[in-house]
Each structure stands twice: as structure tokens, then as C-alpha cells.
Amino acid sequence: MERLDTLIKGINVPVIYEKSSNLPIVYLKLVFKVAGVGQESVAGLAKLSTALLNEGTKKLGVNEFSSKLEIRAIDINAECGFETFSIEINCLKEHFDFAQNMLKDLLKDPNLTKSTLDKLKTQALGIIAANKTDFDYQAKIALNKILFDGSNLAYASIGTKQSLENISLSDVKKFLKENLDISNLFIVLGGDVEPSEVKFSAILDSLEVGKPRELEPVKTSDICKKEFIKEQTEQAYIYFGAPFNVKKDERYLANVSAFILGSSGFGSRLMEEIRVKRGLAYSVYAKNNISLSHSSFEGYMQTKNESKDEAIELIISEFDKFIKDGVTQKELDAAKNFLLGSEPLSKETLFKRLAIAQNEYYSGFELGEFDANLKKIKELKLDDLNKFIKAHTEILKQSFAVIYNEI
């Protein structure tokens, strides 16, 4: 794995690259930073713009565009998250030139038509309607409104019926033009391909240079709010979260801590106390949510409606114990065995290795940080881990969003 640069319209664009000739495949991904849901002016605009890029070109339309890809087993797909917007190619090497030309056409001539936009809005409204009875989804959105109030994280990225109605074709065109630019781009490339075989300048010719954008930080609320929402449900859906102010060089410590407390499945502290000992839930999880723009420690569980208050108090109690007492050597050893033992699976395919390298670069680390962290975990001492845990009392400032039915 290495980092290269390619000059596009006077801008040095980073390229994360791994050569692999094991299979005759090529993977190319364009990643635009500060270009996702966080940049939209209307709820649902980023997701709608992403969906439109998956509708082919205006010239060919979605059916003919998709047909040309399918008969060659080419996948071109656009996605967006809160911070980034990405477009990727996955294809056989023999069809890579054709795939590049199709991506070039897509960026130059996306299917920006009213009929396409109306179709996508209708599809989004269907998803919104279905989500009304997905109580896990609704509880998570309610928690986000508490934790990230005032930011674009506080609402569902798909938008609402009202917000979608307010999105026009010009809004989508403007969003794509302003966010898909050269100055905020890096590229991931891998497979049976040399960088010289990629027509970088040709593919990206239609994009503007733009200016580098700064990601605005989103503060996680510590107000310790509990919101109870009554619905016709058979059980209570409990989502909880708190700030988790982790420094860049502490992420490996945060991962080990979260693994022990709530993200390791049946071996976690929360699962042991809440399911195994008390039978209050089938499952309970808690994990880090750490990104460049925000950082939190979040979890969820389901329990009987009549047990919701007991479950909430137990979660609070277990977090208190975790901060006060830390973890045991046995728990640390078990975490090390799993995390270090699963490392070969984490890097067994080209796609997994490229995903790791993409995250390393995007997060501001040197390539190889994943392996360096494994070494740190292997050498981690119990006292150092417990010192880290006890220093992060902010995770005790938990807020809860609970959907339940009165008994």
C-alpha cells in the first residue's frame, strides 16, 4: 500500500494505491471530503443527489446506462455519509477502460431531469413511511436530536416529506457542482492495474477545481436528557449516548475500552450484566462513534416495556462501575486475544485492505496505522488502559431516547 499524487487541473490529488494481480479486477474510488450530509442546506438533499448519480446519464437514461454496465459486470455506485461523498468503480480489468468512460460521462452529464427527481422523491417518501414503524430507527433519530441538536446530524439524512417537497432540480445540480470538486478529492485505487492506466484528468475534466473546505466540528451534548416516546410497540427500544472526547493517539485505547464494555457481543460487560445475569434483554451493545467531525459513545438495547426503567438504571450503574473500577486483567487479555486474532480476517481481501488504508489517510494517519495500533494493543498494560478509562468521565453524561408502550 502506498500513497501517490496525480496532478489534475493544477491540484495534487492524493491516490491511495495497492497493486494486486491475484484476480483480474480493478477498484477505483473517488472520495470528496466535506461533501456529505453535513454540507446540505435542506434535509435529504445529499442523499437525493447521491441517488440521482445512480440513475445514469441524461443521454442514456438509467435503463440503458445500467444495461451497458451489467452486460460487462461493471458496478458504478455513488454513496454519501455525513462527511464525505464517494463514487466507485468495481470491474474486471478487461472492461476498465469502458468503465472509466462511463464514469466520465456520468460526471459530465448526470440524469438531471424532473422525471428522475420526482421518481427518487417518491421512492424516498416510501422509505420514510416504512421507517415510521421501525422503532429502532426512530429511537436512534430521537437520540441524535438530543446529542447533536443544531447540526445536520440531528435529523434523518433521508429528509422528511416537507423537506423533500422543497428540493428542486437546481438544488441538486448546485449541490453536486459545489461538493464534487478537485480541491477536496482523494482517490483510492487497487487491483490488477497501474496508476498510468487510469485516465484521471479525462474522468474528472467536467469537475471544477473549487477550494479546500474545512470540516466544522459538531459538539456532542452532555445534558443527560431522557426522552420517552409512546408508541404501539411490544417492547421498549432504548438508545443512549454521551460525549467521548478521545484524542487522535488514543483511539486504540478507546477501541479496547468499548470492546470490553459493550461491543464484543456475549463477552461484553453490558451483555453479561444485563442479559446473562438479569435476563432484561436479548442483546445490548455500546460502541464508539468517532469521526473527524464528532465523537460519542453510543449504545442500544430492547427490553420489556415494564422493564425499561430498571434497564436504564442498570446501564447508568454499569457505566459508573466501568469508570470507577476500570477493567480486569482477564478482560484485557480476552480483548487482546480477539482483536489480535481477528487481524488476518480484517485484511484478507484487497477491498478490506483498501478500506483500511482509506480510513487511515482520511483520519490523518500514516498508512500502516492499523498495524501500528495492533502492536500498541499487544503491548498495552492494564494500568495504562484503566488510567485512560478513568479519565473519560464524560461518558457518564448519558442521554436516553426511549420508545415504549404503556402497560
Side-chain angles (χ1 to χ4, degrees), residues 25-36:
I25 59 174
V26 178
Y27 178 81
L28 173 68
K29 186 173 188 179
L30 311 177
V31 184
F32 300 91
K33 300 180 291 183
V34 199

Side-chain angles (χ1 to χ4, degrees), residues 317-380:
S317 173
E318 287 305 315
F319 270 76
D320 285 339
K321 291 178 184 177
F322 191 72
I323 293 296
K324 180 182 177 181
D325 302 329
V327 303
T328 66
Q329 186 64 53
K330 182 179 179 181
E331 288 175 317
L332 175 56
D333 290 342
K336 284 185 177 184
N337 288 338
F338 182 89
L339 294 171
L340 298 174
S342 63
E343 184 272 339
L345 295 177
S346 301
K347 302 176 71 176
E348 65 180 346
T349 68
L350 171 68
F351 302 108
K352 289 183 178 181
R353 294 192 299 274
L354 288 172
I356 289 172
Q358 175 186 325
N359 183 62
E360 289 173 340
Y361 172 76
Y362 178 71
S363 299
F365 295 110
E366 296 292 328
L367 296 181
E369 180 69 14
F370 180 85
D371 293 329
N373 279 340
L374 288 175
K375 183 178 180 181
K376 291 177 183 178
I377 291 172
K378 183 178 181 180
E379 298 173 351
L380 181 59

Side-chain angles (χ1 to χ4, degrees), residues 233-271:
T233 174
E234 298 296 322
Q235 57 190 345
Y237 297 78
I238 301 173
Y239 276 66
F240 54 93
F244 195 21
N245 304 321
V246 179
K247 297 177 182 177
K248 185 177 177 181
D249 61 354
E250 293 180 328
R251 288 195 181 186
Y252 78 99
L253 293 166
N255 290 338
V256 176
S257 302
F259 183 87
I260 294 171
L261 178 56
S263 64
S264 58
F266 280 103
S268 75
R269 183 81 65 85
L270 288 176
M271 189 76 86

Side-chain angles (χ1 to χ4, degrees), residues 55-56 60-70 111 119:
E55 290 289 309
L60 296 178
V62 63
N63 292 332
E64 188 175 350
F65 186 88
S66 298
S67 178
K68 287 179 177 291
L69 298 181
E70 287 173 5
N111 199 355
K119 181 187 77 171

Side-chain angles (χ1 to χ4, degrees), residues 16 62 87 89 145 161 178 258 264 298 306 405:
I16 309 304
V62 63
I87 310 169
I89 292 176
K145 289 180 181 179
K161 184 177 183 295
E178 292 181 349
S264 58
E298 300 179 25
E306 60 267 29
N405 192 9

Side-chain angles (χ1 to χ4, degrees), residues 28-32 85-87 103 107 185-187 203-204:
L28 173 68
K29 186 173 188 179
L30 311 177
V31 184
F32 300 91
F85 193 114
S86 65
I87 310 169
L103 177 56
L107 292 173
L185 170 69
F186 73 93
I187 298 170
I203 291 172
L204 302 168

Side-chain angles (χ1 to χ4, degrees), residues 154-202:
Y155 57 76
S157 60
I158 196 171
T160 64
K161 184 177 183 295
Q162 181 179 3
S163 69
L164 291 176
E165 289 174 350
N166 292 330
I167 295 175
S168 66
L169 206 56
S170 61
D171 293 327
V172 174
K173 186 175 182 179
K174 180 181 178 183
F175 181 87
L176 292 174
K177 181 180 179 181
E178 292 181 349
N179 289 282
L180 274 58
D181 57 12
I182 308 299
S183 293
N184 296 282
L185 170 69
F186 73 93
I187 298 170
V188 182
L189 175 68
D192 190 12
V193 63
E194 299 292 340
S196 59
E197 298 177 70
V198 186
K199 306 170 186 176
F200 292 115
S201 294

